[in-house]
Amino acid sequence: MAGGVWGRGRDGPVGSLTLTALAEGIRANQGQPVGPSSTGPQAEPLEVVPEAETYIQTLTPASEAQLGNEVQPPTAGSENCSPQDVQEPGPERPYQASQYSWEEGALADLALYTAACLEEAGYAGTQATALTLSSALEAQGQRLEDQVHSLVRGLLAQVPSLAEGRPRRAALRVLSALALEHAQDVVCALLPSSLPPDRAAAELWRSLSRNQRVNGQVLVQLLWALKGTAGPEPGALAATRALGEMLAVSGCVGATRGFYPHLLLALVTQLHELAQGVHSPESPKVWEPSHRGPPHSHASCTVEALKALLTGDGGRMVVTCMEQAGGWRRLVGAHTHLEGVLLLASAMVAHADHHLRGLFADLLPRLRSTNEPHRLTAMAFFTGLLQSRPTARLLREDVILERLRTWQCDPEPTVRWLGLLGLGHLAMNRGKIRHVNTLLPVLLRALGEGDARLVGAALGALRRLLLQPGAPVRLLSSELRPRLPPLLDDARDSVRASAVGLLGTLVRRGQRGLRLGLRGPLRKLVLQSLVPLLLRLHDSSQDAAESSEWTLARCDQALRWGLLEEMVTVAHYDSPEALSRVCHRLVQRYPSHVKHFLSQTQGYLRSPQDPLRRAATVLIGFLVYHASPSGVSQDLLDSLFQDLGQLQGDPESAVSAAAHVTAQQVALLARAQVRPHRPSLLRFIRQHSYPARPHPLYDDSPFLRRSRASQWNCPEPR
């Protein structure tokens, strides 16, 4: 057998572990003789780890003179762990004794000796062997990290060729022994092979993860490598992939105690930077093939590392909630990342509250960071964690409130949006309403914002405020009366749905006063919003339509109309008979408001939505049919008749047919008033003379609300 424990295999590179050398090391440990090297000292049987100390004593300068030409080993400094700065190992070449220096030969021999010792030393001897190896390397007068890099590169080259079992385990224990004393150097040496991913490097990361004496140190070094560079820098991406390999090993997450919140925030912030495509001046502007294709592959790796971190700590429900809510997809989106952070914070509040205090403490200094992704991610997490009452109590309420109010003065709409969400969570967590005079002006002012997120957040915060005991229903009714009706017809679907829902919550909280004939401002707000609610049952936005149905049910219950069945029938089947009964009841209960109802409905005749134009036309027809001739002015009837005449030429046949029927009802009501000074109406009346006003008959609507059968795992046919 060529070579021995004290020599080198003929085909093995310097600093590497060959299968031949490992086999000889095992034989030596078993007491079998091994041939001595021609250049090294006399070999002795390998029985225990302290034998390495005897070997170190023989490494004297005198022996150096007996060797061949001296060649300096390659160096790769550990000051920078970036894969771009660490030199890759050169191609393997057959061994030639004259090309290597005495130091390189000693290093190779000692590496092989260490592997053989580790085979039998067990965990008790691992630390001693690592110290021995470190002492030997330092004795050469070389930089220790350079030698560690050489050993790690040798392991990367030889581990794939080692047989499964004891030889491979021995090689992996050499890596653990090095990492026990020199974790930073080992991490810096392994990172270049993690981008693009390498199977051998992945196996070495997993072996480090399984060693409970080493994995904590390695994870800390990877965390610092991740934080040391920003966004899609090669160093950060390589560290993220290494973290994914290590955290996927069962039991490794336990080593993150003490810096778990820090690691979680670093991974989430990395996703934000990847989503935005942040580059430093030195980073490449174009993704090269060496970077494993498009950035989303790196985002997927970061998400998997984040899932492994949560799952390994008992947060499987957090992962499940994020999957069901689409949180992971939002986290990697450029425009939805902060929504994903809010979902993650909510899931952790519900299912992983044991880390919330640590997260909250780590977030506070990040809120003033000059790095925008760091600051916005911290703000989103801070906002989400306010849903946890124990966590929010870590700061005084007035301090949190002042911080959220400060965000409202920020020129960035995203910051103002997060502040409004925080105010909503703060209101939800309080047993009684406090600081109403501070909260209300901020929330009401936000209703006029142009950003839909800000308006939606303000509406949500007002709704949470109403749900608290002692909510100022009368004050809110007065304040919302001029502000809420325009939002019911807002062009943004989410705003319409939220505004209608807020009205329903307001009616539910004030229903006792409405039944007693009180709540003057709220009653006026309901009557002012009644026509929009009826027409929004046919809204193209399903959320807005369902919210309108829910709010109308609350109004029916509070005002005791007795029309719940009819309203549900109109909502789901667009039944003309049910709508006729609704109009009849409203005309009877509120005769003085009929003119206002007709004027409001007339505005929807020009809606760009076909279902709304038809619904408005039918509603006018039934209101006119049930109205008293003295309750509607001739001017209004003339205006309605002109608009309906134009609508009879509508390109949608269902709209034009309904307009024809409704125009007849308007003409009949005008005839009943006997007002001869409207030539256009008189001309129409002479052509259509009816002895009495017949009940209007409308064809079935072609516009029916789509069901949400998919929510019950019953997908709709396509």
Side-chain angles (χ1 to χ4, degrees):
M1 182 175 292
V5 174
W6 304 106
R8 293 180 292 273
R10 285 179 291 181
D11 296 330
V14 173
S16 66
L17 299 175
T18 63
L19 184 59
T20 302
L22 283 172
E24 292 184 359
I26 295 171
R27 287 191 177 186
N29 278 301
Q30 294 174 347
Q32 300 181 16
V34 180
S37 171
S38 60
T39 59
Q42 194 69 21
E44 296 180 5
L46 300 177
E47 297 178 356
V48 294
V49 174
E51 291 292 330
E53 299 178 0
T54 304
Y55 177 61
I56 294 172
Q57 295 174 0
T58 66
L59 302 180
T60 60
S63 302
E64 183 176 356
Q66 301 175 5
L67 298 176
N69 297 331
E70 182 174 345
V71 180
Q72 292 295 331
T75 62
S78 63
E79 287 80 0
N80 192 334
C81 294
S82 172
Q84 293 180 331
D85 298 330
V86 179
Q87 298 179 0
E88 295 292 339
E92 298 182 10
R93 294 176 296 176
Y95 170 74
Q96 298 178 4
S98 61
Q99 294 181 358
Y100 297 101
S101 67
W102 184 89
E103 288 85 351
E104 291 173 328
L107 177 62
D109 288 343
L110 189 55
L112 303 179
Y113 182 82
T114 302
C117 290
L118 286 172
E119 183 72 24
E120 301 295 335
Y123 288 104
T126 299
Q127 186 174 8
T129 307
L131 290 172
T132 301
L133 181 60
S134 300
S135 301
L137 294 172
E138 289 174 348
Q140 305 307 309
Q142 302 292 333
R143 295 175 60 187
L144 180 60
E145 56 268 22
D146 297 339
Q147 311 304 331
V148 172
H149 284 203
S150 299
L151 283 172
V152 173
R153 287 200 299 268
L155 286 170
L156 282 169
Q158 291 299 316
V159 161
S161 62
L162 294 178
E164 295 287 346
R166 298 178 70 186
R168 182 171 291 216
R169 289 197 302 270
L172 296 178
R173 288 172 66 186
V174 170
L175 180 68
S176 298
L178 289 173
L180 192 64
E181 295 295 330
H182 311 288
Q184 180 180 2
D185 300 324
V186 169
V187 168
C188 290
L190 272 179
L191 279 180
S193 300
S194 299
L195 192 71
D198 180 82
R199 293 183 61 182
E203 183 176 0
L204 294 183
W205 288 120
R206 290 193 294 269
S207 71
L208 291 172
S209 180
R210 294 186 184 97
N211 191 326
Q212 296 183 0
R213 305 178 64 193
V214 173
N215 54 14
Q217 302 178 46
V218 176
L219 287 171
V220 169
Q221 294 300 326
L222 287 175
L223 173 60
W224 285 114
L226 178 62
K227 290 172 62 64
T229 51
E233 296 289 345
L237 297 175
T240 302
R241 292 186 177 273
L243 283 168
E245 294 290 346
M246 292 192 66
L247 294 173
V249 176
S250 177
C252 178
V253 177
T256 63
R257 292 178 180 176
F259 59 93
Y260 182 99
H262 215 60
L263 181 57
L264 179 70
L265 290 175
L267 289 173
V268 176
T269 304
Q270 174 73 359
L271 282 174
H272 194 176
E273 292 172 333
L274 287 173
Q276 289 190 340
V278 177
H279 291 84
S280 70
E282 295 80 14
S283 63
K285 303 299 181 184
V286 180
W287 290 92
E288 302 294 340
S290 61
H291 294 155
R292 291 281 295 183
H296 73 266
S297 62
H298 300 299
S300 300
C301 177
T302 308
V303 167
E304 291 304 317
L306 193 55
K307 287 182 180 180
L309 180 64
L310 292 166
T311 303
D313 191 57
R316 181 58 194 170
M317 281 302 300
V318 177
V319 177
T320 302
C321 289
M322 288 287 288
E323 290 173 351
Q324 293 177 346
W328 302 119
R329 176 176 51 82
R330 286 184 169 89
L331 270 178
V332 300
H335 303 291
T336 60
H337 171 78
L338 296 180
E339 297 176 14
V341 175
L342 291 168
L343 287 173
L344 178 59
S346 299
M348 294 190 69
V349 167
H351 303 290
D353 57 351
H354 54 291
H355 283 301
L356 299 187
R357 290 176 176 267
L359 276 172
F360 200 77
D362 282 350
L363 287 171
L364 294 179
R366 292 169 174 251
L367 295 177
R368 303 184 184 278
S369 173
T370 57
N371 185 298
E372 183 176 350
H374 290 201
R375 181 170 57 93
L376 291 179
T377 300
M379 285 180 168
F381 246 120
F382 179 85
T383 298
L385 294 185
L386 290 179
Q387 297 174 86
S388 169
R389 186 176 302 179
T391 304
R393 287 176 178 170
L394 295 177
L395 286 179
R396 296 199 316 272
E397 182 179 343
D398 56 339
V399 174
I400 298 177
L401 188 61
E402 182 59 31
R403 186 184 297 272
L404 296 177
R405 287 183 60 195
T406 303
W407 292 1
Q408 295 308 303
C409 302
D410 195 284
E412 175 62 39
T414 299
V415 176
R416 301 201 302 274
W417 169 61
L418 292 173
L420 289 170
L421 291 176
L423 290 173
H425 295 328
L426 196 64
M428 183 179 63
N429 279 331
R430 301 303 161 190
K432 58 181 180 179
I433 301 299
R434 301 178 61 185
H435 306 292
V436 173
N437 295 332
T438 304
L439 283 173
L440 274 184
V442 176
L443 299 178
L444 293 173
R445 185 168 58 250
L447 295 180
E449 288 276 4
D451 193 321
R453 296 179 304 168
L454 295 172
V455 180
L459 291 170
L462 288 169
R463 183 174 179 273
R464 292 187 180 95
L465 199 63
L466 281 169
L467 293 175
Q468 294 299 319
V473 176
R474 186 177 181 85
L475 175 61
L476 280 173
S477 301
S478 301
E479 294 290 345
L480 290 175
R481 186 184 173 191
R483 295 178 173 90
L484 196 57
L487 297 178
L488 301 179
D489 295 322
D490 195 274
R492 298 161 291 190
D493 294 349
S494 60
V495 173
R496 288 200 308 274
S498 298
V500 173
L502 176 61
L503 176 60
T505 304
L506 188 61
V507 171
R508 187 177 66 173
R509 290 307 311 273
Q511 67 178 359
R512 180 176 300 179
L514 288 172
R515 288 177 178 177
L516 296 176
L518 305 176
R519 307 288 188 194
L522 181 55
R523 180 181 294 271
K524 293 178 181 178
L525 178 59
V526 170
L527 293 177
Q528 186 179 357
S529 308
L530 189 53
V531 167
L533 291 177
L534 286 171
L535 294 178
R536 290 298 169 185
L537 292 174
H538 312 280
D539 199 298
S540 59
S541 167
Q542 192 162 352
D543 289 334
E546 292 180 352
S547 187
S548 298
E549 181 183 353
W550 180 82
T551 300
L552 281 171
R554 304 286 78 75
C555 294
D556 177 81
Q557 182 181 12
L559 296 172
R560 297 181 178 179
W561 293 333
L563 296 172
L564 180 60
E565 181 180 353
E566 285 76 6
M567 289 179 176
V568 172
T569 305
V570 171
H572 291 274
Y573 302 103
D574 199 7
S575 167
E577 293 79 10
L579 181 60
S580 178
R581 291 193 293 271
V582 170
C583 291
H584 179 61
R585 184 68 53 84
L586 295 179
V587 169
Q588 284 184 332
R589 293 285 295 269
Y590 312 106
S592 61
H593 288 76
V594 173
K595 185 165 59 175
H596 177 67
F597 292 158
L598 287 171
S599 299
Q600 274 189 298
T601 311
Q602 185 180 8
Y604 289 88
L605 295 177
R606 298 179 178 85
S607 171
Q609 299 183 27
D610 294 342
L612 279 184
R613 290 201 308 277
R614 182 188 180 278
T617 303
V618 175
L619 182 59
I620 289 175
F622 284 122
L623 286 173
V624 168
Y625 173 74
H626 292 289
S628 169
S630 61
V632 183
S633 67
Q634 191 68 34
D635 292 335
L636 178 57
L637 288 177
D638 190 34
S639 176
L640 288 172
F641 187 79
Q642 291 180 0
D643 288 349
L644 290 169
Q646 296 177 3
L647 211 57
Q648 291 181 41
D650 194 275
E652 176 58 48
S653 59
V655 176
S656 61
H660 179 73
V661 176
T662 301
Q664 291 178 348
Q665 293 296 319
V666 173
L668 291 173
L669 183 60
R671 178 185 178 187
Q673 292 180 339
V674 192
R675 297 290 178 88
H677 59 280
R678 289 293 181 267
S680 60
L681 282 178
L682 289 175
R683 195 163 44 248
F684 185 89
I685 291 170
R686 295 191 189 101
Q687 297 173 1
H688 302 83
S689 299
Y690 296 95
R693 289 194 291 162
H695 192 281
L697 297 176
Y698 295 96
D699 297 332
D700 292 338
S701 173
F703 313 110
L704 293 178
R705 185 194 301 181
R706 296 179 58 190
S707 65
R708 292 193 174 183
S710 58
Q711 291 184 349
W712 291 273
N713 297 323
C714 300
E716 295 181 278
R718 297 188 179 184

